Amino acid sequence: IKVNASKNDESEQISKLQSEVEALRAKLAEQASGVADTSKYEVQIEEMERFMKQTWDDKEKASVEHEEQRKKLEMEAKKNAEKAVEEKNRRIKLLEDKGDIELSIQDLRSTKDDTSCWSHCCDQWTKNISYVLSLEQRISSQCRAVGLCKDSVMQDLDAWCQQRVKEGRDVDEGSAANRMLLSQAERK
C-alpha cells in the first residue's frame, strides 16, 4: 500500500480569505465614517464568508451537478452527430434513387472527412465515371449509326426487289447491276 501525502491548501486559502475579510471590514469601518458606497464591499465580504463556510458535501454536490451537466451535453452532442449522419445518409439515398451518379459522388465528396473510407475512393471515382459515361455515349452513338445503316440497307434491298418485280424479272437473276447493288448493300 502506498501512501501519497498531499498538502492541504484549503486551510491556507481560508486564512488568506479571513485576512482579506478583516482588511475589507477595516476598510468598511474607515469608509463608514465617510459617505462612501460600502454596498460592494459588503457583498464581497458575504461571498468570502459563504466560501469559508462551504463544506465538502456542498463541494461534492456541485461537482456531481457539473458532472451530470457534462453528461447531458455529451448525450446532446452524440444525438446531434447521429442526426447529421442520418441526414447525410438520407441525402445520399435520395441521390441514389434519382440515379445521378455524378451528383451522388459530388455529395459524398462534399461531406467526406479524412477518417472516412470515402476520402480515398471519391477522388478517382469522378474521373472513372466520367470516362465510363463518355464510353457509353460513344457506344450508343455507334449503335444508332449501325441501326441507321441497317435500315438504309434494308430500304435499298426492298427498293431493288420491288423494281425487279415491276420489271418482271426474277429476283435471283445475277446481272452486273444486281451484283453491284448487292455489293453496295454489303458494304453498308
Side-chain angles (χ1 to χ4, degrees):
I1 298 175
K2 285 188 173 183
V3 175
N4 292 331
S6 62
K7 187 175 179 181
N8 188 355
D9 291 329
E10 191 173 312
S11 62
E12 287 179 16
Q13 286 179 347
I14 290 174
S15 64
K16 285 180 184 178
L17 287 173
Q18 284 176 342
S19 64
E20 275 186 53
V21 167
E22 291 303 319
L24 287 173
R25 282 188 179 153
K27 246 185 185 180
L28 187 61
E30 276 179 21
Q31 290 180 353
S33 61
V35 188
D37 183 25
T38 60
S39 61
K40 70 177 186 177
Y41 295 122
E42 290 173 354
V43 172
Q44 285 181 345
I45 291 171
E46 288 175 11
E47 285 179 13
M48 288 181 186
E49 285 177 347
R50 193 172 343 123
F51 181 76
M52 288 188 306
K53 291 178 184 176
Q54 189 179 24
T55 64
W56 282 107
D57 291 335
D58 295 336
K59 292 176 184 177
E60 186 177 1
K61 284 179 187 176
S63 177
V64 168
E65 287 175 9
H66 287 292
E67 183 66 23
E68 287 175 0
Q69 186 178 17
R70 187 188 62 79
K71 285 182 181 179
K72 285 180 185 177
L73 290 174
E74 280 181 1
M75 292 298 290
E76 187 175 324
K78 187 176 179 181
K79 285 180 184 178
N80 288 339
E82 288 173 357
K83 284 181 183 178
V85 167
E86 287 175 8
E87 176 65 20
K88 181 176 97 173
N89 290 338
R90 185 187 66 79
R91 287 178 49 206
I92 290 172
K93 179 69 175 154
L94 285 173
L95 288 171
E96 286 175 356
D97 291 345
K98 193 173 184 182
D100 192 346
I101 295 172
E102 289 185 29
L103 280 177
S104 299
I105 290 177
Q106 285 176 0
D107 188 56
L108 284 173
R109 291 180 82 195
S110 69
T111 59
K112 74 178 182 177
D113 58 4
D114 292 335
T115 60
S116 172
C117 65
W118 294 112
S119 62
H120 303 293
C121 299
C122 284
D123 294 334
Q124 294 299 320
W125 280 13
T126 312
K127 294 174 189 171
N128 293 340
I129 287 177
S130 296
Y131 178 70
V132 167
L133 290 175
S134 69
L135 288 177
E136 179 188 23
Q137 289 174 350
R138 284 182 22 204
I139 290 171
S140 65
S141 66
Q142 288 176 356
C143 287
R144 280 192 302 272
V146 167
L148 290 173
C149 204
K150 178 191 145 234
D151 291 343
S152 173
V153 167
M154 294 305 290
Q155 287 176 356
D156 286 350
L157 285 175
D158 188 40
W160 177 75
C161 287
Q162 287 177 4
Q163 182 183 9
R164 296 292 288 177
V165 170
K166 278 184 184 177
E167 294 173 357
R169 291 195 244 168
D170 187 13
V171 176
D172 292 331
E173 191 177 299
S175 69
N178 291 339
R179 283 192 298 266
M180 186 175 77
L181 186 60
L182 290 175
S183 69
Q184 286 176 355
E186 186 179 328
R187 277 189 239 137
K188 284 184 182 179

